[in-house]
Amino acid sequence: QKEVEQNSGPLSVPEGAIASLNCTYSDRGSQSFFWYRQYSGKSPELIMFIYSNGDKEDGRFTAQLNKASQYVSLLIRDSQPSDSATYLCAVLMDSNYQLIWGAGTKLIIKP
Amino acid sequence: SAVISQKPSRDICQRGTSLTIQCQVDSQVTMMFWYRQQPGQSLTLIATANQGSEATYESGFVIDKFPISRPNLTFSTLTVSNMSPEDSSIYLCSVAEGSGEKLFFGSGTQLSVL
């Protein structure tokens, strides 16, 4: 079992809809969770981080964390074509304090 | 967040040669990291560059192949030595801010080895 798993996609969402990206992790003791956006040919950019169970909102982005079920989600409201990118989930493992990366989900927003 | 300058942005190299990638940060940072990202894949940590001491390498990466320098708190280099086509990848420098968990990345170096 991979330590951090994401559906590779592509996930196709119509413009204006809500895009939902999911990530599961194996280390139950993990405390810190991050979402990075990576445009094609560019480096990853931190867009959200969450430490506590529940929701954290920042503009059109909402991160959701459920530690009991060991998953973290990223919701993008009112999706725009400029949101088309690969979204990487990263989890700070409690066992060795290492940042473990998912393989990323490619999101395509269709006009 | 810190401004991270990485160069070269891309290079095409011959098998058996070496390439040194530079990473300059506009502020002093304790933790700098070097990652590799192969086409269509996620990030793999090569090593943590420690100022004033040897770099800490991850499993599968060795100092002879990927020597790293960290002469001060704003600069680091990664050398890819004796290159083969399997080394073709994007190499990324990153720094940690805050408590060391949030990473910010340089623009990357796209390396192609012929």
Side-chain angles (χ1 to χ4, degrees):
Chain A
Q1 180 189 2
K2 291 183 180 178
E3 293 177 289
V4 177
E5 293 206 53
Q6 295 180 257
N7 188 320
S8 61
L11 174 66
S12 183
V13 174
E15 183 176 359
I18 297 175
S20 178
L21 304 162
N22 298 313
C23 171
T24 59
Y25 60 93
S26 61
D27 186 346
R28 183 172 289 277
S30 297
Q31 299 292 327
S32 305
F33 307 86
F34 306 88
W35 283 100
Y36 286 79
R37 177 177 63 198
Q38 186 173 26
Y39 292 115
S40 180
K42 302 294 185 182
S43 57
E45 172 193 14
L46 179 64
I47 56 171
M48 288 288 286
F49 57 91
I50 187 168
Y51 302 137
S52 304
N53 267 335
D55 295 0
K56 178 182 178 182
E57 189 174 315
D58 184 1
R60 294 187 296 113
F61 298 97
T62 299
Q64 299 178 319
L65 175 60
N66 184 324
K67 290 186 178 180
S69 300
Q70 294 176 238
Y71 80 79
V72 56
S73 301
L74 178 70
L75 302 179
I76 307 174
R77 289 183 300 282
D78 188 23
S79 298
Q80 304 295 312
S82 59
D83 295 324
S84 297
T86 295
Y87 289 80
L88 301 167
C89 171
V91 177
L92 191 66
M93 293 291 176
D94 185 58
S95 55
N96 57 12
Y97 208 68
Q98 282 206 340
L99 194 63
I100 305 298
W101 297 82
T105 298
K106 184 173 183 178
L107 175 66
I108 299 172
I109 306 299
K110 292 193 170 181
Chain B
S1 60
V3 175
I4 306 166
S5 302
Q6 186 175 338
K7 59 181 181 181
S9 59
R10 62 176 62 234
D11 207 340
I12 301 172
C13 300
Q14 295 296 319
R15 181 195 299 261
T17 63
S18 298
L19 176 71
T20 295
I21 303 168
Q22 298 182 5
C23 181
Q24 179 77 53
V25 189
D26 69 344
S27 59
Q28 294 186 338
V29 292
T30 303
M31 303 176 76
M32 293 180 74
F33 306 91
W34 288 98
Y35 279 89
R36 181 172 74 182
Q37 187 175 30
Q38 296 183 308
Q41 298 192 23
S42 191
L43 304 176
T44 301
L45 180 63
I46 298 171
T48 301
N50 306 306
Q51 194 268 330
S53 64
E54 293 284 337
T56 304
Y57 289 84
E58 297 302 308
S59 176
F61 298 96
V62 295
I63 187 171
D64 289 347
K65 175 67 175 176
F66 297 100
I68 286 171
S69 77
R70 181 85 196 273
N72 56 53
L73 291 174
T74 63
F75 187 78
S76 179
T77 67
L78 168 75
T79 299
V80 186
S81 302
N82 188 25
M83 288 184 285
S84 66
E86 291 71 36
D87 295 318
S88 298
S89 188
I90 297 172
Y91 292 84
L92 293 158
C93 161
S94 72
V95 303
E97 294 195 353
S99 58
E101 301 168 336
K102 304 187 190 90
L103 295 188
F104 297 89
F105 289 87
S107 54
T109 297
Q110 184 165 348
L111 170 62
S112 298
V113 183
L114 305 178

